Amino acid sequence: MSDDWNVEEELKPLKLKCTSSDCKNGHHSYRPTPKQKAANTVGQCRSCNEMAPFEWERLHKLDPEDLDYTIAALKNELIRQHYWTNEIPQKVENYARRKGVKGMEGAVEKRIRNSMSPPANDFDGRQTPVEDSAKVNAVHFAQHATASCCRKCMEYWHGIPRYHSLTEDEISYLSRLGMRFISERFPLLTETGEKVSPIRKAGKSNTKG
Ligand SMILES: [Zn+2]
Ligand SMILES: [Zn+2]
């Protein structure tokens, strides 16, 4: 056995990517590899090749009445399951509380429409801040959890080709899906938002010189 294996094991905490997996605990990665595309085995885990325990065709119907099924399916992938269960940073929660349900609906829809609708370019995959980024907010959390973070994820999860502009139906479906994340992870939001004081930086004195 090579030493590299142990080194890898000790790295903490490993930065999660869309291609990360933890197959023995049932958390896979379904982004197809070129080899899988060539062999027509898209839809199987890229690491362990196990068949996904759900029907891709059913997800690709983008049926707004079938969001429960889609959400259960998403949770089989490590990166999605992480965002459905990770600790929400205070800053991210405050953002959602200030917006409230209505404000979040607007913010999610606007983000999908303005930032995710154009066809994929070279920057695709890097356009949505991740959890430890200074710029991350609750909309981005929802996007990672529901696979609207980039056009590659949208393509294999939702069956939306990456080189066309999103249609109104697709924008509306992805926005509704994102809002399911918001209501599950931020169950106490007010309808129209509330005042939340900014987080004070630790160690900074409150007195004026
Ligand atoms: Zn796997
Ligand atoms: Zn993505």
mmCIF file of all heavy atoms in Angstrom, residues 124-155:
data_model
loop_
_atom_site.group_PDB
_atom_site.id
_atom_site.type_symbol
_atom_site.label_atom_id
_atom_site.label_comp_id
_atom_site.label_asym_id
_atom_site.label_seq_id
_atom_site.Cartn_x
_atom_site.Cartn_y
_atom_site.Cartn_z
ATOM 1 N N ASP A 124 -18.224 28.301 -16.549
ATOM 2 C CA ASP A 124 -19.273 27.450 -15.973
ATOM 3 C C ASP A 124 -18.697 26.512 -14.918
ATOM 4 O O ASP A 124 -17.678 25.864 -15.140
ATOM 5 C CB ASP A 124 -19.957 26.627 -17.069
ATOM 6 C CG ASP A 124 -21.171 25.887 -16.537
ATOM 7 O OD1 ASP A 124 -22.073 26.556 -15.995
ATOM 8 O OD2 ASP A 124 -21.204 24.651 -16.637
ATOM 9 N N GLY A 125 -19.385 26.429 -13.779
ATOM 10 C CA GLY A 125 -18.911 25.597 -12.687
ATOM 11 C C GLY A 125 -18.286 26.438 -11.588
ATOM 12 O O GLY A 125 -18.099 25.973 -10.475
ATOM 13 N N ARG A 126 -17.971 27.702 -11.915
ATOM 14 C CA ARG A 126 -17.336 28.561 -10.913
ATOM 15 C C ARG A 126 -18.177 29.791 -10.612
ATOM 16 O O ARG A 126 -17.756 30.669 -9.877
ATOM 17 C CB ARG A 126 -15.945 28.990 -11.411
ATOM 18 C CG ARG A 126 -14.900 27.888 -11.240
ATOM 19 C CD ARG A 126 -13.587 28.266 -11.901
ATOM 20 N NE ARG A 126 -13.704 28.192 -13.352
ATOM 21 C CZ ARG A 126 -12.819 28.706 -14.195
ATOM 22 N NH1 ARG A 126 -11.781 29.363 -13.740
ATOM 23 N NH2 ARG A 126 -12.989 28.583 -15.502
ATOM 24 N N GLN A 127 -19.379 29.853 -11.202
ATOM 25 C CA GLN A 127 -20.150 31.086 -11.072
ATOM 26 C C GLN A 127 -20.917 31.197 -9.757
ATOM 27 O O GLN A 127 -21.402 32.266 -9.418
ATOM 28 C CB GLN A 127 -21.112 31.250 -12.269
ATOM 29 C CG GLN A 127 -22.205 30.212 -12.407
ATOM 30 C CD GLN A 127 -21.805 29.034 -13.263
ATOM 31 O OE1 GLN A 127 -20.906 28.301 -12.895
ATOM 32 N NE2 GLN A 127 -22.482 28.838 -14.386
ATOM 33 N N THR A 128 -21.057 30.115 -9.024
ATOM 34 C CA THR A 128 -21.851 30.160 -7.794
ATOM 35 C C THR A 128 -20.948 29.957 -6.575
ATOM 36 O O THR A 128 -20.365 28.880 -6.415
ATOM 37 C CB THR A 128 -22.955 29.083 -7.852
ATOM 38 O OG1 THR A 128 -23.749 29.298 -9.023
ATOM 39 C CG2 THR A 128 -23.844 29.142 -6.617
ATOM 40 N N PRO A 129 -20.813 30.990 -5.722
ATOM 41 C CA PRO A 129 -19.922 30.870 -4.555
ATOM 42 C C PRO A 129 -20.260 29.649 -3.695
ATOM 43 O O PRO A 129 -21.430 29.280 -3.564
ATOM 44 C CB PRO A 129 -20.193 32.166 -3.779
ATOM 45 C CG PRO A 129 -20.711 33.132 -4.794
ATOM 46 C CD PRO A 129 -21.459 32.297 -5.803
ATOM 47 N N VAL A 130 -19.216 29.033 -3.135
ATOM 48 C CA VAL A 130 -19.415 27.864 -2.276
ATOM 49 C C VAL A 130 -19.446 28.277 -0.808
ATOM 50 O O VAL A 130 -19.194 29.436 -0.477
ATOM 51 C CB VAL A 130 -18.336 26.790 -2.519
ATOM 52 C CG1 VAL A 130 -18.521 26.167 -3.895
ATOM 53 C CG2 VAL A 130 -16.942 27.370 -2.389
ATOM 54 N N GLU A 131 -19.728 27.324 0.065
ATOM 55 C CA GLU A 131 -20.093 27.665 1.439
ATOM 56 C C GLU A 131 -19.051 28.467 2.211
ATOM 57 O O GLU A 131 -19.400 29.227 3.088
ATOM 58 C CB GLU A 131 -20.462 26.407 2.231
ATOM 59 C CG GLU A 131 -19.313 25.430 2.366
ATOM 60 C CD GLU A 131 -19.696 24.186 3.146
ATOM 61 O OE1 GLU A 131 -20.619 24.224 3.951
ATOM 62 O OE2 GLU A 131 -19.033 23.158 2.920
ATOM 63 N N ASP A 132 -17.755 28.289 1.903
ATOM 64 C CA ASP A 132 -16.761 29.029 2.674
ATOM 65 C C ASP A 132 -16.313 30.322 1.985
ATOM 66 O O ASP A 132 -15.375 30.972 2.413
ATOM 67 C CB ASP A 132 -15.560 28.131 3.006
ATOM 68 C CG ASP A 132 -14.914 27.537 1.755
ATOM 69 O OD1 ASP A 132 -15.435 27.788 0.641
ATOM 70 O OD2 ASP A 132 -13.913 26.825 1.884
ATOM 71 N N SER A 133 -17.005 30.690 0.915
ATOM 72 C CA SER A 133 -16.665 31.934 0.222
ATOM 73 C C SER A 133 -17.239 33.133 0.995
ATOM 74 O O SER A 133 -18.297 33.039 1.623
ATOM 75 C CB SER A 133 -17.252 31.890 -1.188
ATOM 76 O OG SER A 133 -17.566 33.186 -1.633
ATOM 77 N N ALA A 134 -16.531 34.262 0.916
ATOM 78 C CA ALA A 134 -17.006 35.469 1.606
ATOM 79 C C ALA A 134 -18.281 35.993 0.956
ATOM 80 O O ALA A 134 -19.079 36.671 1.577
ATOM 81 C CB ALA A 134 -15.918 36.536 1.564
ATOM 82 N N LYS A 135 -18.495 35.635 -0.310
ATOM 83 C CA LYS A 135 -19.634 36.179 -1.056
ATOM 84 C C LYS A 135 -20.894 35.311 -0.966
ATOM 85 O O LYS A 135 -21.945 35.691 -1.468
ATOM 86 C CB LYS A 135 -19.255 36.315 -2.544
ATOM 87 C CG LYS A 135 -18.334 37.474 -2.827
ATOM 88 C CD LYS A 135 -18.081 37.610 -4.321
ATOM 89 C CE LYS A 135 -17.124 36.545 -4.809
ATOM 90 N NZ LYS A 135 -16.755 36.639 -6.217
ATOM 91 N N VAL A 136 -20.778 34.149 -0.330
ATOM 92 C CA VAL A 136 -21.889 33.187 -0.398
ATOM 93 C C VAL A 136 -23.119 33.706 0.346
ATOM 94 O O VAL A 136 -23.006 34.387 1.362
ATOM 95 C CB VAL A 136 -21.448 31.808 0.148
ATOM 96 C CG1 VAL A 136 -21.373 31.798 1.663
ATOM 97 C CG2 VAL A 136 -22.354 30.697 -0.378
ATOM 98 N N ASN A 137 -24.295 33.419 -0.186
ATOM 99 C CA ASN A 137 -25.532 33.755 0.518
ATOM 100 C C ASN A 137 -26.516 32.587 0.401
ATOM 101 O O ASN A 137 -26.185 31.541 -0.176
ATOM 102 C CB ASN A 137 -26.121 35.081 -0.001
ATOM 103 C CG ASN A 137 -26.586 34.998 -1.437
ATOM 104 O OD1 ASN A 137 -27.113 33.962 -1.867
ATOM 105 N ND2 ASN A 137 -26.402 36.066 -2.197
ATOM 106 N N ALA A 138 -27.701 32.771 0.956
ATOM 107 C CA ALA A 138 -28.671 31.668 1.032
ATOM 108 C C ALA A 138 -29.134 31.199 -0.350
ATOM 109 O O ALA A 138 -29.480 30.028 -0.529
ATOM 110 C CB ALA A 138 -29.869 32.094 1.880
ATOM 111 N N VAL A 139 -29.117 32.102 -1.328
ATOM 112 C CA VAL A 139 -29.504 31.702 -2.689
ATOM 113 C C VAL A 139 -28.498 30.687 -3.223
ATOM 114 O O VAL A 139 -28.876 29.662 -3.805
ATOM 115 C CB VAL A 139 -29.581 32.926 -3.627
ATOM 116 C CG1 VAL A 139 -29.890 32.490 -5.052
ATOM 117 C CG2 VAL A 139 -30.606 33.930 -3.132
ATOM 118 N N HIS A 140 -27.220 30.958 -3.007
ATOM 119 C CA HIS A 140 -26.175 30.035 -3.480
ATOM 120 C C HIS A 140 -26.281 28.674 -2.789
ATOM 121 O O HIS A 140 -26.088 27.629 -3.422
ATOM 122 C CB HIS A 140 -24.782 30.633 -3.245
ATOM 123 C CG HIS A 140 -24.615 32.019 -3.793
ATOM 124 N ND1 HIS A 140 -23.998 33.031 -3.116
ATOM 125 C CD2 HIS A 140 -25.019 32.546 -4.982
ATOM 126 C CE1 HIS A 140 -24.011 34.142 -3.857
ATOM 127 N NE2 HIS A 140 -24.629 33.871 -4.983
ATOM 128 N N PHE A 141 -26.601 28.678 -1.504
ATOM 129 C CA PHE A 141 -26.799 27.403 -0.802
ATOM 130 C C PHE A 141 -27.911 26.606 -1.493
ATOM 131 O O PHE A 141 -27.773 25.414 -1.741
ATOM 132 C CB PHE A 141 -27.169 27.652 0.672
ATOM 133 C CG PHE A 141 -25.991 27.671 1.610
ATOM 134 C CD1 PHE A 141 -24.947 28.571 1.429
ATOM 135 C CD2 PHE A 141 -25.906 26.778 2.680
ATOM 136 C CE1 PHE A 141 -23.861 28.587 2.291
ATOM 137 C CE2 PHE A 141 -24.818 26.783 3.541
ATOM 138 C CZ PHE A 141 -23.795 27.689 3.357
ATOM 139 N N ALA A 142 -29.005 27.304 -1.789
ATOM 140 C CA ALA A 142 -30.137 26.640 -2.449
ATOM 141 C C ALA A 142 -29.723 26.090 -3.812
ATOM 142 O O ALA A 142 -30.110 24.983 -4.199
ATOM 143 C CB ALA A 142 -31.297 27.619 -2.606
ATOM 144 N N GLN A 143 -28.914 26.838 -4.517
ATOM 145 C CA GLN A 143 -28.476 26.385 -5.854
ATOM 146 C C GLN A 143 -27.627 25.114 -5.781
ATOM 147 O O GLN A 143 -27.812 24.194 -6.575
ATOM 148 C CB GLN A 143 -27.659 27.480 -6.531
ATOM 149 C CG GLN A 143 -28.475 28.655 -6.997
ATOM 150 C CD GLN A 143 -27.568 29.620 -7.738
ATOM 151 O OE1 GLN A 143 -27.010 30.540 -7.154
ATOM 152 N NE2 GLN A 143 -27.391 29.402 -9.028
ATOM 153 N N HIS A 144 -26.680 25.075 -4.843
ATOM 154 C CA HIS A 144 -25.853 23.867 -4.733
ATOM 155 C C HIS A 144 -26.710 22.672 -4.322
ATOM 156 O O HIS A 144 -26.540 21.568 -4.820
ATOM 157 C CB HIS A 144 -24.715 24.079 -3.739
ATOM 158 C CG HIS A 144 -23.693 25.060 -4.221
ATOM 159 N ND1 HIS A 144 -22.928 24.843 -5.356
ATOM 160 C CD2 HIS A 144 -23.312 26.276 -3.743
ATOM 161 C CE1 HIS A 144 -22.118 25.888 -5.541
ATOM 162 N NE2 HIS A 144 -22.334 26.768 -4.584
ATOM 163 N N ALA A 145 -27.646 22.901 -3.411
ATOM 164 C CA ALA A 145 -28.483 21.804 -2.919
ATOM 165 C C ALA A 145 -29.402 21.250 -3.999
ATOM 166 O O ALA A 145 -29.733 20.060 -3.992
ATOM 167 C CB ALA A 145 -29.307 22.283 -1.727
ATOM 168 N N THR A 146 -29.811 22.116 -4.935
ATOM 169 C CA THR A 146 -30.813 21.676 -5.913
ATOM 170 C C THR A 146 -30.252 21.598 -7.339
ATOM 171 O O THR A 146 -31.005 21.507 -8.301
ATOM 172 C CB THR A 146 -32.046 22.618 -5.888
ATOM 173 O OG1 THR A 146 -31.628 23.953 -6.185
ATOM 174 C CG2 THR A 146 -32.719 22.602 -4.525
ATOM 175 N N ALA A 147 -28.913 21.638 -7.445
ATOM 176 C CA ALA A 147 -28.257 21.449 -8.743
ATOM 177 C C ALA A 147 -28.628 22.498 -9.784
ATOM 178 O O ALA A 147 -28.821 22.190 -10.956
ATOM 179 C CB ALA A 147 -28.503 20.036 -9.283
ATOM 180 N N SER A 148 -28.733 23.754 -9.336
ATOM 181 C CA SER A 148 -28.843 24.840 -10.310
ATOM 182 C C SER A 148 -27.635 25.759 -10.168
ATOM 183 O O SER A 148 -27.683 26.929 -10.523
ATOM 184 C CB SER A 148 -30.155 25.626 -10.133
ATOM 185 O OG SER A 148 -30.189 26.285 -8.892
ATOM 186 N N CYS A 149 -26.542 25.214 -9.652
ATOM 187 C CA CYS A 149 -25.315 25.981 -9.396
ATOM 188 C C CYS A 149 -24.533 26.256 -10.675
ATOM 189 O O CYS A 149 -23.791 27.224 -10.760
ATOM 190 C CB CYS A 149 -24.442 25.235 -8.399
ATOM 191 S SG CYS A 149 -24.338 23.474 -8.713
ATOM 192 N N CYS A 150 -24.631 25.388 -11.655
ATOM 193 C CA CYS A 150 -23.952 25.619 -12.930
ATOM 194 C C CYS A 150 -24.686 24.818 -13.994
ATOM 195 O O CYS A 150 -25.544 23.986 -13.686
ATOM 196 C CB CYS A 150 -22.479 25.207 -12.857
ATOM 197 S SG CYS A 150 -22.223 23.440 -12.653
ATOM 198 N N ARG A 151 -24.352 25.079 -15.250
ATOM 199 C CA ARG A 151 -25.073 24.429 -16.337
ATOM 200 C C ARG A 151 -24.722 22.952 -16.458
ATOM 201 O O ARG A 151 -25.524 22.151 -16.957
ATOM 202 C CB ARG A 151 -24.830 25.184 -17.645
ATOM 203 C CG ARG A 151 -25.326 26.625 -17.612
ATOM 204 C CD ARG A 151 -26.823 26.707 -17.314
ATOM 205 N NE ARG A 151 -27.602 25.990 -18.264
ATOM 206 C CZ ARG A 151 -28.253 26.557 -19.300
ATOM 207 N NH1 ARG A 151 -28.206 27.875 -19.466
ATOM 208 N NH2 ARG A 151 -28.948 25.817 -20.137
ATOM 209 N N LYS A 152 -23.524 22.566 -15.995
ATOM 210 C CA LYS A 152 -23.172 21.141 -16.026
ATOM 211 C C LYS A 152 -24.069 20.361 -15.074
ATOM 212 O O LYS A 152 -24.594 19.305 -15.407
ATOM 213 C CB LYS A 152 -21.719 20.939 -15.614
ATOM 214 C CG LYS A 152 -20.710 21.369 -16.632
ATOM 215 C CD LYS A 152 -19.302 20.957 -16.175
ATOM 216 C CE LYS A 152 -18.232 21.778 -16.869
ATOM 217 N NZ LYS A 152 -18.086 23.146 -16.344
ATOM 218 N N CYS A 153 -24.235 20.879 -13.864
ATOM 219 C CA CYS A 153 -25.083 20.199 -12.883
ATOM 220 C C CYS A 153 -26.533 20.176 -13.349
ATOM 221 O O CYS A 153 -27.226 19.180 -13.203
ATOM 222 C CB CYS A 153 -24.975 20.878 -11.518
ATOM 223 S SG CYS A 153 -23.354 20.660 -10.757
ATOM 224 N N MET A 154 -26.987 21.285 -13.915
ATOM 225 C CA MET A 154 -28.362 21.332 -14.420
ATOM 226 C C MET A 154 -28.568 20.299 -15.515
ATOM 227 O O MET A 154 -29.632 19.715 -15.644
ATOM 228 C CB MET A 154 -28.633 22.700 -15.048
ATOM 229 C CG MET A 154 -29.157 23.722 -14.102
ATOM 230 S SD MET A 154 -29.590 25.160 -15.114
ATOM 231 C CE MET A 154 -29.039 26.422 -14.014
ATOM 232 N N GLU A 155 -27.526 20.105 -16.318
ATOM 233 C CA GLU A 155 -27.659 19.194 -17.459
ATOM 234 C C GLU A 155 -27.872 17.760 -17.002
ATOM 235 O O GLU A 155 -28.794 17.086 -17.438
ATOM 236 C CB GLU A 155 -26.438 19.306 -18.362
ATOM 237 C CG GLU A 155 -26.566 18.525 -19.646
ATOM 238 C CD GLU A 155 -25.422 18.836 -20.608
ATOM 239 O OE1 GLU A 155 -24.298 18.349 -20.381
ATOM 240 O OE2 GLU A 155 -25.650 19.591 -21.573
#
